[in-house]
């Protein structure tokens, strides 16, 4: 049985955490909250855990279909204004302690970050045209390839993949990830949210079919760490793509997203999450103790070790040649004595 002072202390702490979260929301979020005030009840000592996790897990998110004025959207920080590192704090432990179902609360939080992230990207599109060029003094027609960047809206891909296997969107996108990775990702993105970086998830679990219809830079259909069949399939997804939703325009969101990635590089390892590919696939994150991270970030260490071995071999060559020459001299002297 929890004592009354302990209950009051925990209730006050949750109020402070919730108040700090509300203060960090944009003006439009505060107006929405004001329109539907929460019901507040007196804390009662009980063996059951109070359902305060919902409030603590609420993010400063927006519905993807909401049309908001540009001046009400948060502008990103300057590119050179690096966010302050965020360390593990008691509020994350408080959330997990007071959640009746930890897995459900984590899934709900990650789903909120997925819902608020725009599913837009730029992809390379190749077009073949017949053009006239001059060759050896004559004008001839040849076929040339031209590549351009075009907008790509992949909002339809996850719903189509979820419908194909008969799952809800939330169960497909979030439920398909590995449980331990979801916990690490929750801690990382919750800390990034507290740092004001407004993280969003553009892609989480992807099965072979979803990987097949993906565009741009991607792994083979069954080899994706997002959940390809070769990696274990559903329930074993070990990757997610993250961006920042700060900013009214794509250019502003890009600046904010680069800040988020730099923050993950600086702080993610303390939560067990890192970016395996860096600039080659910057949104992609996975567990630092996983096979993918070790495979793509460890080669630098292997190269350094190989260079060290190479230098040792080069240094050993003069000694080897000197030994061979001494042996040849001894053999020549012995042969001279025998013939003399």
């Amino acid at each position: 049985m929890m004592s009354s002072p302990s209950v009051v202390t925990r209730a006050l702490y949750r109020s402070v955490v919730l108040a700090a979260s509300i203060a960090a929301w944009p003006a439009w979020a505060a107006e929405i909250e004001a329109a539907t005030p929460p019901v507040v009840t007196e804390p009662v000592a009980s063996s059951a855990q109070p359902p305060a996790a919902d409030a603590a897990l609420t993010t400063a998110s927006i519905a993807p279909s909401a049309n908001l004025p540009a001046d009400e959207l948060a502008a990103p920080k300057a590119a050179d204004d690096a966010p302050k590192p965020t360390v593990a704090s008691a509020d994350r432990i408080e959330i997990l302690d007071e959640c009746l179902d930890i897995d459900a609360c984590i899934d709900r939080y990650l789903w909120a970050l997925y819902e608020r992230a725009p599913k837009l990207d730029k992809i390379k599109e190749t077009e073949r045209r017949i053009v006239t060029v001059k060759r050896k003094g004559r004008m001839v027609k040849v076929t040339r390839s031209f590549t351009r960047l075009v907008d790509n809206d992949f909002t339809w891909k996850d719903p189509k993949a979820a419908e194909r296997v008969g799952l809800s969107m939330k169960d497909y996108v979030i439920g398909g990830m590995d449980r331990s990775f979801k916990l690490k990702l929750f801690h990382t993105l919750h800390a990034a949210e507290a740092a004001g970086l407004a993280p969003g998830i553009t892609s989480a679990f992807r099965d072979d079919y979803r990987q097949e219809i993906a565009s741009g830079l991607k792994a083979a259909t069954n080899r994706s760490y997002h959940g390809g069949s070769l990696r274990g399939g559903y329930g074993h997804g070990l990757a997610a793509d993250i961006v920042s939703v700060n900013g009214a325009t794509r250019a502003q969101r890009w600046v904010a997203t680069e800040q988020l990635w730099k923050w993950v590089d600086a702080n993610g390892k303390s939560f067990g999450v890192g970016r395996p590919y860096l600039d080659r696939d910057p949104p992609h994150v996975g567990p630092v103790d996983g096979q993918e991270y070790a495979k793509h970030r460890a080669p630098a260490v292997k190269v350094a070790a190989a260079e060290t071995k190479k230098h040792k071999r080069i240094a050993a060559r003069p000694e080897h040649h000197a030994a061979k020459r001494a042996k040849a001299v001894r053999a020549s002297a012995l042969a001279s004595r025998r013939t003399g």
Side-chain angles (χ1 to χ4, degrees), residues 24-32 60 62 66-75 245-248 252:
W25 290 357
W28 57 266
E31 291 174 2
I32 295 175
I62 62 173
N67 295 320
L68 301 174
D71 57 354
E72 289 187 3
L73 294 175
V245 300
N246 269 342
Q252 292 174 338

Side-chain angles (χ1 to χ4, degrees), residues 72-224:
E72 289 187 3
L73 294 175
K77 301 177 181 178
D80 56 351
D81 185 13
K84 296 180 179 179
T86 302
V87 297
S89 56
D91 60 342
R92 294 185 293 103
I93 300 173
E94 187 77 4
I95 289 171
L96 298 180
D97 283 347
E98 300 207 358
C99 187
L100 298 179
D101 185 346
I102 293 177
D103 292 332
C105 290
I106 290 175
D107 285 2
R108 185 163 62 249
Y109 180 85
L110 296 178
W111 173 245
L113 299 191
Y114 173 86
E115 281 193 302
R116 76 179 183 181
K119 308 299 184 289
L120 295 172
D121 197 4
K122 280 195 177 288
I123 61 172
K124 291 181 180 180
E125 187 177 86
T126 302
E127 180 183 358
R128 298 180 69 83
R129 303 177 197 165
I130 297 177
V131 297
T132 303
V133 298
K134 189 174 183 178
R135 285 185 178 174
K136 297 181 180 180
R138 294 194 310 168
M139 303 302 293
V140 296
K141 290 184 177 181
V142 297
T143 302
R144 293 283 176 86
S145 297
F146 297 88
T147 302
R148 60 175 180 167
L149 292 176
V150 296
D151 288 337
N152 177 44
D153 183 353
F154 56 93
T155 309
W156 59 274
K157 296 181 180 180
D158 282 337
K160 188 173 182 179
E163 182 181 1
R164 186 173 179 271
V165 294
L167 292 174
S168 68
M169 275 283 289
K170 180 181 175 183
D171 289 340
Y172 176 83
V173 173
I174 305 301
M177 289 194 290
D178 179 81
R179 182 180 182 274
S180 63
F181 174 58
K182 283 194 290 186
L183 182 61
K184 295 172 184 176
L185 189 64
F186 162 74
H187 286 325
T188 304
L189 299 184
H190 186 264
E193 179 82 9
L197 297 172
I201 299 173
T202 58
S203 181
F205 172 75
R206 298 204 298 250
D207 60 8
D208 291 356
Y209 171 76
R210 173 63 179 83
Q211 184 70 8
E212 180 183 352
I213 61 177
S215 305
L217 181 66
K218 63 176 184 177
T221 299
N222 63 341
R223 292 180 176 272
S224 173

